[in-house]
Each structure stands twice: as structure tokens, then as C-alpha cells.
């Protein structure tokens, strides 16, 4: 398919193409998401997005973030990243959220009728029932196991797609998303489309009867960047993969769609004048035998400011960083 990177062309991706009645439709490619709700968002869970018209300017009017500006008027959806309320929640519909790449699901709590938005797992549809076990194991489920927690039975009853669990209840090797970092906080990792983490290890010990008991305070998870982190065993995680996994295959088709998304054009340095960029000026496409730099003369990756002694204690294995250098094929 046109526009798909060479390394991903072996992956079967279903994208919707359009008859080129206009130039803007010729190169438009979108993932097929016919299950999305066609109406407006649930208004009480939204608020107007303000401040995006400033175009990346600070309080003195200077542009501090380039290539921002414009964009259509949108409303921000209030998404529940904590999911502290237990009990069954019915999925009413799956919606598109203009503020994020993943889809969101509108839930209705069956006990009270209260509605909330969550990041939708891949494969979840309207009519599904989701649960949250952050507040603990329900008493009726505990009694059905004979009053004793059996890890195998508990995983069979709770570890289903879309359910929110504390990480110490998630079986090893399970893909999870919306991963938290501390017990009372919400999700901070793996919230964008198609992302997930793998639960790699727990601090457990096996008793004489064969049951495993959590002894440590932390669970180790591997992110998609191959970074391995320690997070609290009571932090939240949702079983499955974040929805809209083919989001990165889309093609906007025309410059106007980037402007709708609050993205302004990016101009090459060699196309500028010498006073505007170190690569500018001269005859032809030449940057004057100079290494790539930013408009202010800095290297593209910036300066290394983190001290070697200032180590992030929550990172077990740091993600590989190339700092502008080409990686070997083995990596």
C-alpha cells in the first residue's frame, strides 16, 4: 500500500481509500472503524478547549513552540484514568476523541447509572460489560473461591479485556495498557493508540501448598520502547491493547487536514535565508558543509543535560537511545 513504511508492508492493514473526486481525496487513507458512534459526544463529560489559538506563544507573546497554530474548535473529553469505582459497567458506544489517537468508550455504571469515558481497548464493542477491581476483590467472588484467593481461578475470572486490575493481580506475560505508577494515581503509561506493556515479573514467594504470595512492593513491566520499569504493585492497569492500532498508517491526504489538527507548516533550513537559519543562503541546495543544526545553532538532539549520577531509580533497563546516530541492524 502507498505510504506504508518498507518494514511494515508485510503487515496486512485494511485502510479505506476514496475515489479521487478532489485532489484532497486522492492520497487520503484512513483505518476502517465502522463501529464508531456517529453522533456527538456526551456533553456533560466535555469542556471547551481554550488556549490552543495562542499558536505556541507564552504569556509575553513569544513563540516558544514552533509549528503550532490554528486548528478547529473542539471539546476536551474528560477520561477516567483512575477507575476506582467497582461493579459492572456497560459499554454504551465507542467514540472518536479529537484530543487523542486511541478511541474512547462511554460506560454506564449499572448500579447508579453514572456515565464515564475510558480509553477503549482494542476489540471492545457496544454492549460489553467491563469491571474494575482496584477497590479489591468482591466478596461474592471471594466466597466462590472458598474464602481463599486462588491465583489461577482469580485470573480466569478477572483478567479479561477491558477490566482494570491492580498490577499484582495481573498474570505474568499479559499485555496491559493505561498503566499507572503509584497506588492512588491514574494511568500514565501506554495511553495512545495501539500501545501496551508486558507484565514481566513480580516479587513472589511460593508457599508449601503451591500458592504464590506477593512479598515485594513493585511489579516490573516492559514498555514498547524496551524500557523496563518498576511500578507499584497496587497501581492500575487495563487488560488488553489500546484501541485504533492502525492509527499510524493513516495519511492525511492534504495540507489542510494538518491545519485542522493545529499543525502549521515546517520549512527546511536550506530553503531559508542565511539570517534565518544556519543552513540557509548560498546557491542551490547546500548547507555549507555544516553539520545539521537547529535554527539557533544547536545540535538536533539538544545538549545532554542529565548527569550520569542522576539515575532514574524506577527504570530497571533504560530504553536504547541513539542520540542521532544510526543503529545497527541487530538493534
Amino acid at each position: 500500500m502507498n505510504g506504508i513504511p518498507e518494514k511494515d508492508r508485510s503487515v496486512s492493514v485494511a485502510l479505506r481509500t476514496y475515489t479521487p473526486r478532489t485532489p484532497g481525496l486522492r492520497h487520503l487513507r484512513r483505518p476502517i472503524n465502522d463501529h464508531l458512534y456517529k453522533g456527538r459526544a456526551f456533553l456533560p463529560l466535555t469542556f471547551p478547549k481554550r488556549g490552543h489559538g495562542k499558536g505556541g506563544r507564552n504569556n509575553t507573546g513569544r513563540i516558544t513552540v514552533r509549528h503550532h497554530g490554528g486548528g478547529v474548535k473542539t471539546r476536551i473529553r474528560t477520561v477516567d484514568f483512575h477507575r476506582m469505582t467497582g461493579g459492572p459497567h456497560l459499554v454504551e458506544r465507542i467514540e472518536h476523541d479529537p484530543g487523542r489517537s486511541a478511541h474512547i468508550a462511554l460506560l454506564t455504571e449499572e448500579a447508579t447509572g453514572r456515565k464515564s469515558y475510558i480509553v477503549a481497548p482494542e476489540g471492545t464493542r457496544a454492549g460489553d460489560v467491563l469491571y474494575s477491581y482496584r477497590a479489591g476483590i468482591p466478596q461474592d467472588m471471594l466466597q466462590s473461591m472458598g474464602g481463599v484467593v486462588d491465583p489461577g481461578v482469580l485470573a480466569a475470572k478477572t483478567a479479561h479485556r477491558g477490566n482494570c486490575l491492580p498490577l499484582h493481580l495481573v498474570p505474568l506475560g499479559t499485555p496491559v495498557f493505561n498503566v499507572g505508577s503509584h497506588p492512588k494515581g491514574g494511568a500514565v503509561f501506554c495511553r495512545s493508540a495501539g500501545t501496551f506493556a508486558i507484565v514481566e515479573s513480580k516479587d513472589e514467594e511460593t508457599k508449601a501448598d503451591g500458592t504464590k504470595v506477593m512479598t515485594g512492593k513493585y511489579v516490573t513491566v516492559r514498555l514498547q520502547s524496551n524500557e523496563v520499569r518498576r511500578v507499584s504493585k497496587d497501581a492500575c492497569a487495563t487488560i488488553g491493547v489500546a484501541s485504533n492500532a492502525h492509527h499510524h498508517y493513516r495519511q492525511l491526504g492534504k495540507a489542510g487536514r494538518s491545519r485542522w489538527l493545529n499543525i502549521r507548516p515546517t520549512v527546511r533550513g536550506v530553503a531559508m535565508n542565511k539570517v534565518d537559519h544556519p543552513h540557509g543562503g548560498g546557491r542551490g541546495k547546500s548547507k555549507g558543509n555544516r553539520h545539521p543544526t537547529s535554527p539557533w545553532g544547536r545540535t538536533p538532539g539538544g545538549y545532554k543535560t542529565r548527569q550520569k549520577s542522576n539515575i532514574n531509580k524506577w527504570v530497571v533497563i533504560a530504553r536504547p537511545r541513539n542520540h542521532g546516530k544510526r543503529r545497527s541492524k541487530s538493534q
Side-chain angles (χ1 to χ4, degrees):
M1 295 182 182
N2 294 335
I4 297 179
E6 190 71 34
K7 64 178 181 179
D8 293 335
R9 287 184 182 175
S10 59
V11 181
S12 177
V13 180
L15 298 177
R16 174 160 288 149
T17 59
Y18 299 86
T19 302
R21 295 187 179 92
T22 63
L25 290 177
R26 183 175 299 278
H27 299 292
L28 180 61
R29 307 283 187 273
R30 285 172 172 166
I32 299 175
N33 293 310
D34 293 334
H35 61 283
L36 293 182
Y37 179 66
K38 303 298 189 296
R40 297 187 64 185
F42 183 66
L43 205 61
L45 291 178
T46 65
F47 61 92
K49 182 178 180 181
R50 301 189 185 280
H52 70 287
K54 294 190 294 185
R57 291 167 174 81
N58 62 6
N59 61 335
T60 63
R62 293 179 179 271
I63 295 179
T64 55
V65 183
R66 300 194 305 157
H67 314 138
H68 282 202
V72 297
K73 186 168 66 173
T74 60
R75 297 184 70 86
I76 294 177
R77 276 67 166 167
T78 304
V79 178
D80 180 14
F81 287 110
H82 290 78
R83 296 189 67 179
M84 300 298 290
T85 307
H89 289 70
L90 177 67
V91 179
E92 278 202 11
R93 62 202 189 207
I94 309 295
E95 297 183 11
H96 165 73
D97 186 355
R100 68 186 70 250
S101 56
H103 298 148
I104 57 177
L106 181 64
L107 304 186
T108 302
E109 186 182 353
E110 293 188 358
T112 62
R114 188 180 295 112
K115 297 184 183 298
S116 61
Y117 276 126
I118 66 166
V119 176
E122 183 70 24
T124 299
R125 296 293 181 267
D128 293 350
V129 179
L130 307 181
Y131 294 84
S132 175
Y133 298 98
R134 286 201 73 181
I137 303 171
Q139 193 64 31
D140 56 347
M141 184 180 295
L142 193 61
Q143 291 176 356
S144 66
M145 293 186 290
V148 180
V149 176
D150 187 335
V153 176
L154 183 64
K157 289 178 175 290
T158 60
H160 297 292
R161 179 180 57 205
N163 289 353
C164 183
L165 284 78
L167 274 165
H168 70 271
L169 295 181
V170 179
L172 294 180
T174 304
V176 293
F177 70 103
N178 275 7
V179 181
S181 60
H182 58 95
K184 296 183 179 179
V188 291
F189 301 119
C190 304
R191 303 192 332 185
S192 59
T195 56
F196 62 92
I198 299 294
V199 180
E200 286 216 326
S201 64
K202 309 176 188 178
D203 294 332
E204 295 177 327
E205 68 177 15
T206 305
K207 289 188 173 181
D209 57 356
T211 59
K212 294 183 178 181
V213 179
M214 189 84 184
T215 57
K217 297 181 180 179
Y218 306 105
V219 174
T220 303
V221 297
R222 178 179 293 274
L223 307 180
Q224 283 181 297
S225 61
N226 283 332
E227 179 177 292
V228 180
R229 295 185 69 100
R230 287 188 309 155
V231 296
S232 172
K233 68 183 181 66
D234 294 317
C236 63
T238 304
I239 306 296
V241 179
S243 55
N244 200 16
H246 292 160
H247 172 265
H248 63 292
Y249 290 118
R250 67 173 185 165
Q251 296 181 50
L252 297 180
K254 65 178 184 179
R257 287 192 181 88
S258 292
R259 303 306 294 266
W260 299 343
L261 297 175
N262 198 25
I263 302 172
R264 295 191 69 242
T266 302
V267 180
R268 294 169 298 129
V270 294
M272 299 182 186
N273 293 323
K274 191 64 178 177
V275 296
D276 298 321
H277 199 283
H279 296 167
R283 296 180 179 272
K285 296 180 181 178
S286 170
K287 55 183 172 51
N289 224 9
R290 180 175 179 136
H291 288 293
T293 59
S294 69
W296 304 278
R298 297 183 179 179
T299 56
Y303 296 124
K304 296 180 182 179
T305 57
R306 178 182 288 272
Q307 299 175 3
K308 292 184 179 180
S309 60
N310 187 14
I311 299 173
N312 189 343
K313 64 179 181 178
W314 303 109
V315 176
V316 180
I317 300 176
R319 65 184 177 91
R321 299 173 183 267
N322 59 348
H323 291 295
K325 299 178 183 178
R326 290 178 178 265
R327 295 184 185 177
S328 62
K329 292 184 178 180
S330 61
Q331 292 177 319

